[in-house]
Amino acid sequence: MILSVSRRTDIPAFYSEWFINRLQEKCVWVRNPMNYHNISEIDLSANIVDCIVFWTKNPQPMFKYLDLIEKDYKFYFQYSINAYGKDTEPNLPQLEARIDCFKYLSNRYGKNRVIWRYDPIILTPKYDIRWHEKMFKYIARKLCGNVTKCVFSFIDVYVKIKKNLSTLNIKTIDENAMYEISKTLKSIADNYELKLETCCEDIDLINLGIKKSCCIDPVLISNIIDYKIKVNKDKNQRPSCGCVESIDIGYYNTCKHGCIYCYANNSKSTVVSNCLKHMPSSKLLIGQKEDDDKIYKRAVKSFRDLQMTFFDEKND
């Protein structure tokens, strides 16, 4: 099993104590996003969890728990670093602090286990193409030597975030703009020996040398855990997503970063209400079991391929 922690909220930033409690108890409950009273019980035993993928914009609160996590579990980070101002990402630490955290993780675990995400790319009168060129170059220079790959994407303007985005006077990014931005970023990435990939984008940029990313990456996971894994493509993600199967243990409307482009939060009031219900000792990220809840043990297994092939034997 591959554990996604989490596409739905920033668990390293806000819920690290809860997460380490779940690992120590080897059990987590996750509400079904489409059916509130259905709860999955997931076994977090180390022999079942092949790898953990952390998604974060601020991993620093988790640093004090890393010794405990790495004792039994393998993991890597999908780490988003943009340079937008407080009008767009109001509750993030200063850019330099986030860059320092990235370097810390890279130095501790290796630069292949910390993926830089420059996403989403938005265009406004303030954040235009030249601004992105300047800031992408700045971050790439700062991270040089501590990163091998950057994954970028363009904003998807979902209906529920249109109102938030209206404060920025956001511009539509057509394919011509996508191509121009991608070409600019690729030129900078090449100067810093940085592999550039896209996340969930339909546009074909292979002629620029930009491939589509696989963020839950079976090849990277195999390298980290020293086992080949047999795992299928994740059918629950968008068709353009290359990720393989994982189980996400997050909960929507719980991220306190307040980024106005975020698809995982519906409203500030809902986030505040949910966060007040959080208890680090609970098996659920938010609240406790309710009378109408039904708990189902989810069937989980390791994806490790324990069958040694003839080729493997010859390379031992």
Side-chain angles (χ1 to χ4, degrees):
M1 173 179 65
I2 300 166
L3 207 63
S4 175
V5 185
S6 154
R7 285 183 171 101
R8 301 169 182 169
T9 191
D10 196 330
I11 288 177
F14 302 116
Y15 306 108
S16 292
E17 182 182 358
W18 173 84
F19 179 69
I20 197 65
N21 288 340
R22 297 301 93 236
L23 292 186
Q24 290 178 328
E25 293 184 20
K26 297 179 174 56
C27 176
V28 64
W29 288 352
V30 182
R31 287 196 183 276
N32 187 322
M34 307 304 294
N35 191 332
Y36 179 82
H37 288 294
N38 281 1
I39 295 174
S40 294
E41 180 175 298
I42 300 166
D43 186 347
L44 298 182
S45 299
N47 64 322
I48 293 175
V49 178
D50 300 308
C51 191
I52 302 169
V53 182
F54 291 114
W55 308 75
T56 188
K57 293 181 178 179
N58 177 25
Q60 195 277 331
M62 183 171 273
F63 286 0
K64 61 184 177 182
Y65 299 113
L66 289 175
D67 288 339
L68 291 172
I69 299 172
E70 69 184 29
K71 182 180 178 182
D72 295 311
Y73 297 89
K74 302 291 187 180
F75 52 86
Y76 66 97
F77 287 84
Q78 292 280 351
Y79 191 157
S80 294
I81 301 183
N82 303 315
Y84 299 120
K86 294 296 184 180
D87 58 344
T88 305
E89 298 175 331
N91 300 322
L92 289 179
Q94 293 297 315
L95 176 60
E96 295 301 327
R98 289 179 278 137
I99 290 173
D100 288 344
C101 284
F102 191 105
K103 291 180 178 179
Y104 173 83
L105 290 172
S106 176
N107 290 330
R108 180 163 178 166
Y109 297 113
K111 55 189 177 182
N112 291 327
R113 288 175 62 180
V114 195
I115 312 300
W116 173 26
R117 302 184 67 86
Y118 188 78
D119 74 328
I121 293 174
I122 60 176
L123 287 184
T124 73
K126 178 179 179 180
Y127 305 121
D128 60 12
I129 294 177
R130 299 284 76 83
W131 182 90
H132 281 287
E133 178 181 13
K134 175 183 176 182
M135 298 314 301
F136 184 82
K137 182 184 294 185
Y138 177 82
I139 299 170
R141 178 171 58 83
K142 286 284 188 173
L143 294 180
C144 185
N146 290 101
V147 64
T148 61
K149 182 167 74 172
C150 176
V151 177
F152 72 100
S153 69
F154 301 99
I155 189 166
D156 292 310
V157 183
Y158 298 103
V159 173
K160 63 182 180 181
I161 64 171
K162 274 189 174 181
K163 182 178 179 180
N164 292 340
L165 292 172
S166 65
T167 62
L168 293 180
N169 192 18
I170 192 168
K171 298 180 179 179
T172 300
I173 307 178
D174 59 21
E175 284 206 0
N176 289 332
M178 288 183 183
Y179 192 88
E180 182 181 352
I181 293 169
S182 301
K183 186 177 180 180
T184 298
L185 299 188
K186 184 63 167 62
S187 176
I188 297 168
D190 287 346
N191 287 336
Y192 291 98
E193 299 181 349
L194 183 62
K195 184 191 299 183
L196 201 59
E197 297 180 356
T198 60
C199 178
C200 283
E201 295 296 340
D202 293 327
I203 187 172
D204 186 353
L205 299 170
I206 197 66
N207 64 322
L208 293 178
I210 301 174
K211 297 180 180 179
K212 296 181 185 295
S213 178
C214 178
C215 302
I216 307 286
D217 184 348
V219 176
L220 176 58
I221 291 170
S222 293
N223 290 335
I224 290 172
I225 70 176
D226 291 326
Y227 276 98
K228 292 181 180 178
I229 60 172
K230 290 183 176 180
V231 58
N232 296 321
K233 185 179 183 299
D234 194 336
K235 298 177 182 178
N236 295 317
Q237 301 300 323
R238 289 174 286 176
S240 56
C241 178
C243 292
V244 295
E245 292 177 2
S246 64
I247 294 178
D248 198 297
I249 64 169
Y251 192 80
Y252 291 115
N253 291 298
T254 57
C255 184
K256 293 182 277 189
H257 289 314
C259 303
I260 67 168
Y261 51 72
C262 182
Y263 64 87
N265 287 346
N266 288 332
S267 69
K268 292 180 181 179
S269 60
T270 305
V271 172
V272 171
S273 175
N274 282 336
C275 291
L276 289 173
K277 300 174 186 175
H278 171 70
M279 291 172 283
S281 61
S282 175
K283 291 181 181 179
L284 290 162
L285 181 59
I286 300 300
Q288 298 270 32
K289 181 179 179 297
E290 300 176 11
D291 291 341
D292 293 334
D293 290 341
K294 296 179 181 179
I295 299 173
Y296 303 89
K297 286 191 176 182
R298 182 161 178 172
V300 293
K301 65 177 183 178
S302 170
F303 294 131
R304 298 185 187 204
D305 183 1
L306 301 180
Q307 299 296 318
M308 184 174 288
T309 67
F310 176 73
F311 178 80
D312 294 325
E313 291 175 355
K314 290 193 69 174
N315 282 280
D316 282 346

